[in-house]
Amino acid sequence: MKAKRLILLAATLLITVTTFGQTKLVGGPCEGCEAIHESPVPFDKLNALTKLPDTRSVGHKPIAITGTVYKADGKTPAPGVVIYIYHTDETGHYTAKAGAKGWEKRHGSLRGWVRTDTNGFYKFVTLRPAPYPGHSEPAHIHVTIKEPGLPEYYIDEYVFDDDPLLTAEKRKTLDNRGGSGILKLSDVGNIYKGERPIYLGKNIPNYPTNR
């Protein structure tokens, strides 16, 4: 019975941090993060590469985003981490296809899932999103993380270094959750390339210290 209680306690500590009787969710509140569980493919069957539906648009140059996900020590690659991304279309709207269900109705149909490989590597290909109508915010790609043994949480959005809406003041407000999400794109001919490493637990509230 004692061993069973210790196992249960360890599992609980992996998911939440408890202080003075109050349970705090790892990463804090996250509306819509549960959409990561709408993956059409079981997590353990996901690939490290995905192409979003908009890459099929004719006459548009896609962007390819790659990176390595690292464990909390900042240097050990983290395999088996699921990444969910979604973004606006070229009009700045989250457009959903006919018959969309669940969170797709709000996040739109330009979304995808990847799972890091044994080297912590991930890659997704899509078109560069447009900012919201009214241009109040820089163009961005939302990202949610689901690592083994923890609930899902969000990290800083992917934004673009050359975006005029990403002003010096906007940059100062970035939380750098998971590390910086600012992308510098390189034109390599038929595609733009960008890279972002992700650091699990970095600037994530209530992240366990025993990871």
Side-chain angles (χ1 to χ4, degrees), residues 6-160:
L6 288 174
I7 292 173
L8 179 60
L9 177 60
T12 302
L13 288 174
L14 283 174
I15 298 175
T16 59
V17 175
T18 303
T19 305
F20 301 114
Q22 294 183 340
T23 299
K24 297 181 179 180
L25 182 67
V26 172
C30 183
E31 181 183 6
C33 277
E34 59 265 40
I36 197 170
H37 295 285
E38 294 182 343
S39 172
V41 177
F43 284 171
D44 62 351
K45 302 297 183 183
L46 286 170
N47 294 318
L49 164 67
T50 191
K51 294 182 178 180
L52 272 64
D54 58 352
T55 55
R56 302 185 184 95
S57 297
V58 178
H60 299 278
K61 188 183 292 189
I63 58 175
I65 309 303
T66 63
T68 299
V69 177
Y70 295 97
K71 294 184 179 181
D73 63 9
K75 58 184 180 181
T76 305
V81 175
V82 177
I83 302 172
Y84 167 64
I85 46 119
Y86 70 96
H87 62 77
T88 62
D89 60 20
E90 293 176 283
T91 71
H93 294 90
Y94 297 104
T95 304
K97 64 185 179 184
K101 298 179 180 180
W103 280 99
E104 185 179 2
K105 292 187 289 186
R106 289 182 59 180
H107 290 178
S109 297
L110 300 182
R111 61 181 192 159
W113 293 257
V114 294
R115 182 174 181 265
T116 57
D117 65 14
T118 55
N119 297 312
F121 176 82
Y122 75 91
K123 178 179 180 178
F124 65 88
V125 180
T126 187
L127 291 183
R128 183 165 172 165
Y132 298 144
H135 296 80
S136 59
E137 295 290 335
H140 54 276
I141 300 173
H142 294 278
V143 52
T144 303
I145 296 291
K146 176 70 177 75
E147 53 179 296
L150 287 182
E152 58 275 5
Y153 58 86
Y154 73 92
I155 61 174
D156 268 22
E157 300 154 347
Y158 295 87
V159 291
F160 302 93

